[in-house]
Amino acid sequence: QSALTQPRSVSGSPGQSVTISCTGTSSDVGAYNYVSWYQQHPGKAPKLIIFDVRERPSGVPDRFSGSKSGNTASLTISGLQAEDEADYYCSSYAGRFTWVFGGGTKLTVL
Amino acid sequence: EVQLVESGGGLVLPGGSLRLSCAASGYTFSDYWIHWVRQAPGKGLVWVACINFEGDRTTYADSVKGRFTISRDNAKNTLYLQMNSLTAEDTAVYYCARGGHYLDPWGQGTLVTVSS
């Protein structure tokens, strides 16, 4: 049950795009299309923004998109806005009814 | 509106026990798996445990296996986490979250502090 690997921080200017990677193994990210992404603002509970690799819950702007290639999943945020500044976590089903999270990425909007 | 509300957190001595609760409303509780996830101060999210619809299948992270027990009471729409043999490393905000392969929504969390 090793954590998925995410960059500790990324940054971008308003209007730009940023991509956050999430690297796992052939036992979790690479094995299942059950990668999800969560946004967490300081002092708040996490919020689901992407599920099943690329699906967006209702109400999540289409500026947020997900993808996967092999053992690495990615979250892209286009048209960065100030309110996107938050921590982002990926998660994957890891088999045998266990789940694993990434270490989290702090997004700074410059 | 789907809502999850955790309670039961607090200060506990090392080696002690605590039981957390998560009250669910706004949906048919027994239709969903449900999870516990924790977050140590200033750290990332860590999956802790989950339980299936009827409560007869449970799984745990290695770090809590044998010490924590997840359970649910579908008649009371409530999820529980019994935590025993607590150590400082268990200090965290504990969230409950509805879901199968993805977690949505999450409760607001309850803080557990293990300290002498």
Side-chain angles (χ1 to χ4, degrees), chain A residues 1 34 36 38 40 44-46 48 51-52 89 93 96-99 101-103, chain B residues 33 35 39 44-45 47 50 57 59-62 95 100-104 106-107:
Chain A
Q1 297 177 348
Y34 293 136
S36 51
Y38 303 88
Q40 186 180 35
K44 301 294 187 181
L48 176 71
F51 66 96
D52 293 354
Y89 294 90
Y93 179 62
R96 297 187 178 185
F97 301 102
T98 64
W99 281 259
F101 281 90
Chain B
W33 287 56
H35 301 246
Q39 185 171 35
L45 302 173
W47 178 79
C50 74
R57 175 151 204 159
T59 49
Y60 300 90
D62 289 343
Y95 295 98
H101 296 301
Y102 56 89
L103 278 57
D104 180 56
W106 298 54

Side-chain angles (χ1 to χ4, degrees), chain B residues 52-91:
Chain B
N52 72 341
F53 313 104
E54 294 300 325
D56 57 356
R57 175 151 204 159
T58 59
T59 49
Y60 300 90
D62 289 343
S63 58
V64 306
K65 202 174 295 182
R67 299 187 300 123
F68 289 13
T69 302
I70 187 173
S71 62
R72 65 191 296 164
D73 185 335
N74 287 344
K76 295 183 177 179
N77 293 342
T78 302
L79 171 74
Y80 302 101
L81 185 68
Q82 176 67 43
M83 304 185 295
N84 299 330
S85 303
L86 287 163
T87 73
E89 287 65 47
D90 297 314
T91 293

Side-chain angles (χ1 to χ4, degrees), chain A residues 55-100:
Chain A
E55 301 300 319
R56 275 189 317 276
S58 61
V60 174
D62 60 6
R63 302 185 296 103
F64 293 87
S65 63
S67 63
K68 190 186 87 166
S69 178
N71 297 337
T72 299
S74 298
L75 172 71
T76 297
I77 309 171
S78 58
L80 268 179
Q81 300 181 3
E83 59 262 35
D84 297 334
E85 185 161 295
D87 294 327
Y88 291 84
Y89 294 90
C90 62
S91 177
S92 176
Y93 179 62
R96 297 187 178 185
F97 301 102
T98 64
W99 281 259
V100 62

